Amino acid sequence: MQEKIRGGILGLAVADALGVPVEFKSREALNISTVTDMFGYGTYNQPEGTWSDDTTMILCLVDSLSKDGLDYNKIMDNFASWIKYGDYTPYQEVFDIGNVTKRAVVNYIQGIEPLKCGGRNDNDNGNGSLMRILPIAFYIIGKYGIDCESATIVDIVHKTSSLTHGHMRSQIACGIYVMIAIELIKGRIMCYAIQNGIEQAFSYYGKNHESEYELKKYSRIKSNDFKDLKEPEIRSSGYVVDTLEAALWCLLNTNNYKDCVLKAVNLGEDTDTVAAVAGGLAGIAYGIKLIPEEWLSKLARREYIEQICDAFTQKVEHTYFWKNNYIEIIENNGLKMSDDLVDAIESADEELLGAMLTSFIRQERFCDGLIASAVEQKVFLKIILRFEKITSKTSY
């Protein structure tokens, strides 16, 4: 989980930093002067490795999830600290913020409830919630497991989006993106993760009359020939539909992190966000080790980002594997708090394995020497091996 969280968040931050110096440049200009490496200054006159509001809002969200769980007031508190004091930025300076996002945060500062702050008009569909939604995929897996129901995913994603972007179109983009991210976290390869995530999203939203109309805006990514569209057919503006399409198109037409994010940047226009949206998924899929080290080494406040990632990892792993209702889970599987547990390891699912592990740790309070005995019998090793076997089956 640490590798995937670092890969996703650092992958997003690096891609963001690659796009910052050329944001708003046209595709034609970038065809003449193609971005091939990380560099500085340019649009915002910032040093190389500087990331923008995309990464800042990710860090605001991750830090809140790590400390407070899913608390929408706390998330908005962090957004407010960013705007007022430059918190969660590379140099305590706010140099890039979308109008819709800024208006939503100001609404919160003025006393409006968090879930009512985001714009709900047709022209409020920028990419400001899509670019920061990735950590929610990890949170959902941590709290509800890898097979979380679509309704739960959508409820959490839509509420998190509505902090700044409350229109159904923006929320659907976030829902599609998170479902794809969850598939990648499971271990799916890129093309299947995108296909499965899109199919899951369309299956859910297509049954909902409220979302049926807005879902049509995303019909191109559902088509079988989307990957084969030519570059001139791909738009890379800050409009949420364009951003999602462009990011997925880059992911489908490359097979490594570096090529993916450079392709995204060189599409032009909203270079940092299209690259960030693609880079987050690419970082999960290809791993932190395949993000060029020369780019990571230039990334502003890299250690700070890694510290936030690692705190988040601990929160996700603790929530995911340690089961407060472990006795109920064990009993529902027809087992007792005895040697039955050891015999059942070979056929246990992830939920039961978590309950087993929790039971051995917590029952030590009442039975001195239980953990030592479990270690001697290689019980923990058997649990780990079984868990590894289960998770490996989810990979293609």
Side-chain angles (χ1 to χ4, degrees):
M1 189 62 75
Q2 182 185 52
E3 287 290 307
K4 292 184 185 296
I5 288 175
R6 279 197 176 197
I9 295 175
L10 284 168
L12 185 147
V14 166
D16 180 11
L18 282 167
V20 163
V22 292
E23 188 176 5
F24 307 128
K25 280 202 171 186
S26 68
R27 192 171 303 177
E28 292 71 25
L30 290 173
N31 283 337
I32 296 171
S33 182
T34 304
V35 176
T36 59
D37 202 354
M38 187 175 286
F39 66 97
Y41 303 98
T43 301
Y44 295 102
N45 199 34
Q46 297 288 332
E48 64 179 357
T50 301
W51 27 272
S52 72
D53 57 333
D54 302 55
T55 302
T56 289
M57 296 190 80
I58 285 278
L59 298 179
C60 288
L61 177 57
V62 169
D63 195 37
S64 179
L65 290 172
S66 300
K67 295 175 180 176
D68 307 297
L70 190 59
D71 185 321
Y72 300 113
N73 280 286
K74 296 292 186 181
I75 296 169
M76 291 300 283
D77 285 342
N78 285 354
F79 290 163
S81 293
W82 158 47
I83 287 180
K84 291 193 291 185
Y85 310 116
D87 292 349
Y88 301 98
T89 64
Y91 314 112
Q92 295 296 118
E93 174 190 4
V94 180
F95 68 87
D96 186 19
I97 181 172
N99 291 330
V100 177
T101 296
K102 184 175 182 178
R103 187 166 65 246
V105 179
V106 170
N107 284 341
Y108 176 72
I109 293 171
Q110 293 177 344
I112 295 178
E113 296 176 23
L115 298 182
K116 296 180 180 179
C117 286
R120 285 167 168 76
N121 295 324
D122 194 70
N123 59 358
D124 290 328
N125 283 304
N127 52 26
S129 62
L130 176 63
M131 70 190 191
R132 61 169 170 81
I133 203 69
L134 181 62
I136 291 297
F138 293 105
Y139 170 82
I140 287 171
I141 284 182
K143 188 165 182 65
Y144 300 100
I146 59 174
D147 296 316
C148 180
E149 293 182 354
S150 297
T152 301
I153 296 172
V154 167
D155 179 63
I156 293 171
V157 167
H158 283 203
K159 287 177 179 176
T160 307
S161 173
S162 70
L163 297 175
T164 57
H165 293 68
H167 195 281
M168 177 62 72
R169 196 176 310 161
S170 291
Q171 293 175 333
I172 289 175
C174 292
I176 294 169
Y177 187 77
V178 167
M179 289 180 186
I180 293 170
I182 289 173
E183 290 294 304
L184 287 172
I185 296 167
K186 290 180 182 180
R188 305 279 195 259
I189 62 174
M190 184 65 73
C191 61
Y192 288 115
I194 292 175
Q195 178 184 337
N196 291 355
I198 290 173
E199 287 179 354
Q200 181 184 358
F202 271 72
S203 175
Y204 179 84
Y205 287 118
K207 298 174 184 176
N208 188 321
H209 179 71
E210 183 183 1
S211 58
E212 188 177 7
Y213 171 77
E214 293 298 338
L215 186 62
K216 294 177 182 178
K217 303 290 184 181
Y218 297 95
S219 59
R220 289 214 307 177
I221 64 172
K222 184 73 163 57
S223 65
N224 293 329
D225 61 352
F226 173 70
K227 174 185 176 182
D228 300 321
L229 293 177
K230 302 302 181 185
E231 187 177 286
E233 299 176 88
I234 299 298
R235 299 176 291 271
S236 51
S237 75
Y239 174 44
V240 68
V241 178
D242 290 351
T243 298
L244 183 62
E245 283 189 352
L248 295 182
W249 183 81
C250 291
L251 289 159
L252 288 168
N253 282 283
T254 54
N255 58 13
N256 62 78
Y257 176 86
K258 182 176 182 179
D259 289 347
C260 175
V261 296
L262 287 176
K263 181 179 282 290
V265 169
N266 286 301
L267 289 176
E269 295 187 64
D270 201 354
T271 52
D272 59 332
T273 301
V274 172
V277 171
L281 297 183
I284 295 172
Y286 302 120
I288 187 71
K289 294 179 182 178
L290 293 184
I291 300 174
E293 178 57 36
E294 61 269 26
W295 290 353
L296 284 167
S297 65
K298 295 176 181 178
L299 192 65
R301 301 187 73 185
R302 173 184 176 180
E303 291 184 1
Y304 167 70
I305 297 174
E306 290 176 340
Q307 288 171 1
I308 289 183
C309 287
D310 293 346
F312 185 44
T313 300
Q314 292 179 12
K315 179 74 172 182
V316 169
E317 289 182 335
H318 176 82
T319 306
Y320 176 56
F321 211 69
W322 297 101
K323 306 294 181 180
N324 291 328
N325 60 332
Y326 68 99
I327 295 176
E328 179 184 349
I329 294 171
I330 289 169
E331 290 178 348
N332 287 344
N333 280 271
L335 303 173
K336 297 180 180 179
M337 304 293 290
S338 65
D339 290 340
D340 288 352
L341 297 186
V342 179
D343 295 335
I345 290 174
E346 284 302 314
S347 59
D349 59 15
E350 292 174 56
E351 182 180 57
L352 182 54
L353 289 172
M356 289 177 173
L357 183 59
T358 307
S359 72
F360 280 106
I361 300 300
R362 291 189 174 176
Q363 292 303 308
E364 172 76 13
R365 294 174 297 171
F366 313 110
C367 183
D368 289 341
L370 181 62
I371 291 179
S373 176
V375 171
E376 185 177 347
Q377 296 178 44
K378 299 183 179 179
V379 173
F380 297 141
L381 177 60
K382 290 176 182 177
I383 290 175
I384 292 169
L385 292 175
R386 173 61 183 165
F387 184 74
E388 183 178 47
K389 184 177 181 180
I390 291 173
T391 54
S392 66
K393 286 181 178 180
T394 65
S395 301
Y396 285 96

